[in-house]
Amino acid sequence: MDLPIPNPDPIPVPGEIGLILFLLYLTFFVHVVLMNTLLGGLILTFISEVVSRRSGSPECRHRHEHLAEQLSHILPFTVSLTITFGVAPLLFVQGIYGQFFYTSSVLMAWVWLAVVLLILIGYYSLYLYTRGFARFARRRYWFVGISMVMFLTVAFIYVNNLTLMQTPQKWLAIYTSTKGSGWHWNLDEATLWPRYLHFALSAVAVAGMLVLGLGFREQDAARAGFLRRWGGSWFLGATLLQVGVGWWFYYAIPTQLSAIFLNQEGLARTLFIGAHVLFTLGSLAIGLAAFGRAGSGVGWAGIGLVLGGIAGKIISRDQLRQAYLGQVGWNFDALNTDPQHDVIALFFISLVAGLALLAWVIAKYRREAATHS
Ligand code: HEM
């Protein structure tokens, strides 16, 4: 069948494909961890707001209010960093998969463009929540609630676009039925909901690790115990649910494509199995540290293992995308490359400078948080 796939950009990819993929994975990993911290952090802050209002125990109310306030100081940073670390993978995705990514973005143009507005509303709401924590004490949960809904919607739009880009077989029918209006959601995609839930649960798990980490650093013993148990429970609960959602996702993928994860030897299978081993070991370590059976060193090691698992999943996810696009005859041979090592060196210099800036921002934040507390 003749598919309406545009030609690759005539401008060659400015580096070896392996290098560009490496940069895509590296920057997308940072994006995912930050985005998970943001989304999951908003969910956990909202839950703490609800608990602190509903609970009959003053101690419980106080603990949750304190946690909500702690998270409210971290989350605005994660918004700006999620956005900044979204731009870099966006460039690399366009460089390699531009023919697919641009087309799906055009097919759902209005929905896609709405992302900017939703992020703005989400960001302002979050600032109102943080800055007005004391002033809007009675109604502030609205602000964090609105922000949570906005960012969850943004994530949903991303999943719509990134699934649509890898199924060019559907494009012509979509263009015809929408008359090119740009109003389209990829709702008939079988993997859409499990993929979205997979991201949402991963967000809660990562935010659980953040709360656990706050517990490891807390000086007050009672509060530290609460943060460890609360963070550890959300991590473990979300990860357990992930087992069901993960299999739902796996079986929603066409069998000939999901075969790369278990039935065919290769990088995808190694990463898939390796990531799950890391998640299992990491969850065990986190469980032990959260419930006082091991020290914070074991907990931090668990967090490191889980982050390693996420890195593995990021590469597997791209292997799956390549398998999808292989179905329509695409592979990397379609791309011309013209490595511009000076530009790439400049990129690395800016990356290192950016990371140094990030370290400075975190140090500044910690000073501010210490003064505040
Ligand atoms: C701040 C709110 C944001 C949220 C909640 C968010 C969420 C997500 C999610 C859930 C995905 C994975 C979708 C999938 O694989 O199905 C994703 C991918 C991606 N996001 Fe973000 N995102 C945000 C902002 C941004 C921004 C502002 C940019 C760029 C300027 C960006 C760039 C990307 C790119 C390029 C990918 C795909 C990378 C790839 O496919 O290899 N994101 N985002």
Side-chain angles (χ1 to χ4, degrees), residues 24 28 31 35 38-39 82-83 86-87 89-90 93 119 151 154-155 158-159 162 195 199 317 321:
L24 169 62
F28 187 55
H31 177 64
M35 174 266 284
L38 167 65
L39 282 184
T82 300
I83 296 171
V87 177
L90 186 63
V93 164
I119 291 181
F151 285 114
V154 170
Y158 268 91
V159 179
L162 287 155
R195 184 167 173 146
F199 276 109
R317 168 183 168 281
R321 171 161 56 195

Side-chain angles (χ1 to χ4, degrees), residues 24-25 28 31-32 35-36 38-39 78-80 82-94 97 101 112 115 119 150-163 165-166 195-196 199-200 249 314 317-318 321:
L24 169 62
Y25 301 154
F28 187 55
H31 177 64
V32 165
M35 174 266 284
N36 278 349
L38 167 65
L39 282 184
T78 62
V79 180
S80 50
T82 300
I83 296 171
T84 312
F85 278 96
V87 177
L90 186 63
L91 299 178
F92 300 123
V93 164
Q94 287 168 3
Y97 303 108
F101 183 71
W112 183 237
V115 159
I119 291 181
M150 293 300 131
F151 285 114
L152 281 172
T153 312
V154 170
F156 187 59
I157 294 175
Y158 268 91
V159 179
N160 272 263
N161 196 358
L162 287 155
T163 47
M165 72 168 269
Q166 56 195 23
R195 184 167 173 146
Y196 178 64
F199 276 109
F249 187 13
I314 278 165
R317 168 183 168 281
D318 193 55
R321 171 161 56 195

Side-chain angles (χ1 to χ4, degrees), residues 48-349:
S48 278
E49 282 291 345
V50 173
V51 175
S52 70
R53 276 172 169 70
R54 298 272 159 103
S55 170
S57 143
E59 194 189 335
C60 175
R61 278 208 303 272
H62 181 70
R63 279 180 184 167
H64 279 281
E65 197 166 0
H66 183 77
L67 172 59
E69 192 179 11
Q70 260 182 309
L71 291 174
S72 81
H73 287 288
I74 297 173
L75 295 181
F77 287 101
T78 62
V79 180
S80 50
L81 291 172
T82 300
I83 296 171
T84 312
F85 278 96
V87 177
L90 186 63
L91 299 178
F92 300 123
V93 164
Q94 287 168 3
I96 295 188
Y97 303 108
Q99 338 159 228
F100 302 95
F101 183 71
Y102 287 133
T103 314
S104 58
S105 304
V106 169
L107 286 173
M108 49 181 289
W110 285 111
V111 179
W112 183 237
L113 286 175
V115 159
V116 178
L117 186 66
L118 295 172
I119 291 181
L120 274 175
I121 300 173
Y123 208 171
Y124 271 105
S125 271
L126 185 56
Y127 262 109
L128 281 172
Y129 177 72
T130 304
R131 299 287 164 201
F133 197 84
R135 190 152 38 113
F136 303 122
R138 283 184 52 216
R139 295 206 186 82
R140 63 170 185 247
Y141 66 95
W142 275 103
F143 295 127
V144 69
I146 291 171
S147 185
M148 176 181 73
V149 172
M150 293 300 131
F151 285 114
L152 281 172
T153 312
V154 170
F156 187 59
I157 294 175
Y158 268 91
V159 179
N160 272 263
N161 196 358
L162 287 155
T163 47
L164 184 58
M165 72 168 269
Q166 56 195 23
T167 45
Q169 301 88 332
K170 299 192 331 195
W171 292 350
L172 189 58
I174 293 169
Y175 185 79
T176 315
S177 66
T178 58
K179 300 191 177 65
S181 67
W183 279 111
H184 179 72
W185 294 84
N186 199 24
L187 297 178
D188 63 353
E189 165 62 45
T191 60
L192 185 81
W193 285 105
R195 184 167 173 146
Y196 178 64
L197 280 179
H198 208 48
F199 276 109
L201 284 173
S202 140
V204 174
V206 169
M209 295 199 301
L210 169 70
V211 175
L212 182 72
L214 291 174
F216 292 151
R217 302 178 59 84
E218 176 64 57
Q219 302 297 324
D220 178 280
R223 207 177 269 166
F226 159 70
L227 290 172
R228 281 176 178 220
R229 284 191 303 279
W230 184 253
S233 304
W234 281 103
F235 170 84
L236 292 174
T239 305
L240 272 179
L241 282 176
Q242 199 69 283
V243 178
V245 169
W247 283 116
W248 176 18
F249 187 13
Y250 179 83
Y251 284 111
I253 299 168
T255 328
Q256 70 276 21
L257 300 177
S258 63
I260 63 164
F261 292 131
L262 288 175
N263 301 338
Q264 289 166 14
E265 271 187 41
L267 180 65
R269 187 163 88 166
T270 311
L271 287 170
F272 189 79
I273 296 172
H276 287 107
V277 171
L278 291 180
F279 287 142
T280 311
L281 294 175
S283 303
L284 266 171
I286 287 177
L288 289 172
F291 296 97
R293 303 289 159 117
S296 58
V298 173
W300 287 117
I303 292 175
L305 290 171
V306 171
L307 291 178
I310 294 178
K313 283 284 184 147
I314 278 165
I315 306 175
S316 316
R317 168 183 168 281
D318 193 55
Q319 298 269 310
L320 178 64
R321 171 161 56 195
Q322 289 163 26
Y324 265 99
L325 298 181
Q327 283 196 310
V328 295
W330 183 91
N331 60 36
F332 293 128
D333 296 341
L335 302 172
N336 288 324
T337 56
D338 178 15
Q340 296 173 26
H341 292 122
D342 46 350
V343 177
I344 289 172
L346 202 64
F347 173 82
F348 272 106
I349 293 169

